[in-house]
Amino acid sequence: MTKKTSALLLTVMFLFSVLLAGCGGKDSAPPAPAPGDTNSSNASSDGNQSAKKLSGNITVWVHPYVGDELKDEMNVVWDQIVSSYNSKYPDVKVKIEEIPWKNREQKILTALAANNGPDVFYQLPDQIPQFATKNVLEPLDSYMDDNNMEDFNQGALAAGIYENNLYALPILQEAQTLIYNTDIIQAIGEDPAKLPATWDEFNVWAEKAVAQGFFARDFPGGIACCNSTLYPMLWQQGGDVIDSGGKVIINNDKGVATFQMIKDMYDNGWIPKDSISNQDQFPEFLSGKMLAIWGSGYSLGILKEEGKNFVLGSPLRGQEESSFGTVGLFAVPSNSKNKEAAVEFIKELTNTESQKLFNQLTKYIPARQSAAGIYDGDEEMQKFIEVAAVSRPGVMSPVARTIMPKIQAEISAMLEGSKTPQTAADDAAKAIEEELNKR
């Protein structure tokens, strides 16, 4: 691995892990909603933004969506978006501030509680229920008449909805799938053009790979739990963590069967022994020791930088085909002092042209259909767009973040041998119910 790529790998995997798993701190007390001082007049009743007169200041909190090597290009994207917004609303001053991923939830909640937070900030799907139940988010439905909502990918749009209220607009989608080492495929006598579509087919390949001294796939049991490890497998078996009625079902027959699959992979040497706690097994794939890696568009840049031979597969089917893919959204706090200007800015952030600019640089999937053309002719990104159609954004519950380490603790205990798959699943269910009962 080159020094340049090693540095890129560390940066990318850090961004990848925090983007998916989050690094939020303890919940803060909800801020008291303040009356909206929108500084607006002459807004038309049909939502025609050209008739609105907005003024004042708004502050927008963003995150490091790219590595340091692309920081200047990211700033150009922000400047272009702000410039477009100001061509419509020249009397609104927009301040873009980048805050770290680490502890962002605590930072945002604390700032909003003190009434000195941003007017626009970034959310992930499993944060929406958490923030909405704290009355932190401004409902957006009444502002959307002029925003061509049918153009959004409906799965991405749904990530910003909680209890039938729209709280955020999506700017990006991310999808994950299996990426295979073509050299290992050929070494085990299989055809890279005929990749496994089901778990039964993958299991045959896995046995051949392990017989020749390779790992079958990754299962990083540290910070990646559970969106990139347990959940896709659970959904593929037809299971879930919490059903639509709020009942915990992680320990039903499908859930226990999934825990058993993970235990079998570990016991049979299909995944590395450090899967109990390792946060990143991508180096094993890069060094040619692993048949397949669970990756995203982030992974492709590293593989191309290293000149590796790889091919993109599909999420495996058990009872259904499913994958994890996060959605990035922008929201307006309920106590913003310039709500209407802030809402118009997130419309600008998530319109077609802004999504093209942002996603072309960051290599995410646009959340608007009209922006998908940026990847015309790119077979690899087209594959991720296909996967996005069967992807889910995680567990949509106010306890989505707090239950992850508790589930991982049970998986670790199971892999260490101190609990059976049934006991681990049952104890995970109890821990989830305890978190729900705190609400």
Side-chain angles (χ1 to χ4, degrees), residues 177-178 180 195-197 294 312-317 321 383 386-387:
T177 192
L178 286 170
Y180 293 83
L195 298 176
W294 187 250
L312 294 180
S314 298
L316 299 171
R317 286 196 310 273
E321 185 180 23
K383 179 65 176 180
E386 290 177 17
V387 174

Side-chain angles (χ1 to χ4, degrees), residues 201-235:
E201 293 169 356
F202 179 81
N203 292 347
V204 174
W205 284 36
E207 290 175 356
K208 290 182 178 181
V210 172
Q212 294 198 35
F214 302 109
F215 295 116
R217 60 158 294 172
D218 65 323
F219 192 89
I223 200 169
C225 181
C226 301
N227 288 328
S228 295
T229 52
L230 171 67
Y231 291 168
M233 295 177 64
L234 180 61
W235 298 330

Side-chain angles (χ1 to χ4, degrees), residues 303-336:
L303 294 171
K304 290 176 180 178
E305 173 80 14
E306 285 290 296
K308 299 298 181 182
N309 297 319
F310 67 91
V311 60
L312 294 180
S314 298
L316 299 171
R317 286 196 310 273
Q319 292 191 19
E320 58 185 78
E321 185 180 23
S322 185
S323 179
F324 169 77
T326 195
V327 177
L329 312 103
F330 281 99
V332 173
S334 56
N335 64 354
S336 167

Side-chain angles (χ1 to χ4, degrees), residues 362-417:
T362 61
K363 297 305 179 187
Y364 285 112
I365 300 165
R368 278 192 180 272
Q369 300 169 42
S370 56
I374 62 173
Y375 294 128
D376 286 350
D378 188 329
E379 293 184 6
E380 292 159 350
M381 290 307 298
Q382 286 294 329
K383 179 65 176 180
F384 279 117
I385 290 173
E386 290 177 17
V387 174
V390 296
S391 295
R392 296 171 57 174
V395 175
M396 296 297 287
S397 167
V399 300
R401 294 299 179 92
T402 58
I403 64 177
M404 286 185 181
K406 298 178 184 298
I407 295 172
Q408 179 54 34
E410 299 305 326
I411 293 175
S412 296
M414 176 186 71
L415 296 183
E416 290 169 343

Side-chain angles (χ1 to χ4, degrees), residues 279-299:
Q279 298 181 3
D280 175 19
Q281 294 170 338
F282 198 66
E284 279 78 5
F285 185 78
L286 279 178
S287 61
K289 299 176 182 177
M290 188 175 285
L291 170 64
I293 190 86
W294 187 250
S296 70
Y298 268 138
S299 313

Side-chain angles (χ1 to χ4, degrees), residues 111-155:
L112 293 178
N115 275 318
N116 62 1
D119 299 284
V120 172
F121 61 96
Y122 186 77
Q123 291 269 269
L124 295 178
D126 56 8
Q127 290 176 301
I128 298 295
Q130 175 191 353
F131 279 59
T133 55
K134 294 177 181 294
N135 298 318
V136 169
L137 303 179
E138 173 74 3
L140 300 178
D141 299 270
S142 63
Y143 300 94
M144 293 296 123
D145 288 347
D146 62 348
N147 201 36
N148 190 13
M149 303 300 284
E150 294 77 14
D151 184 45
F152 284 106
N153 297 330
Q154 292 307 295

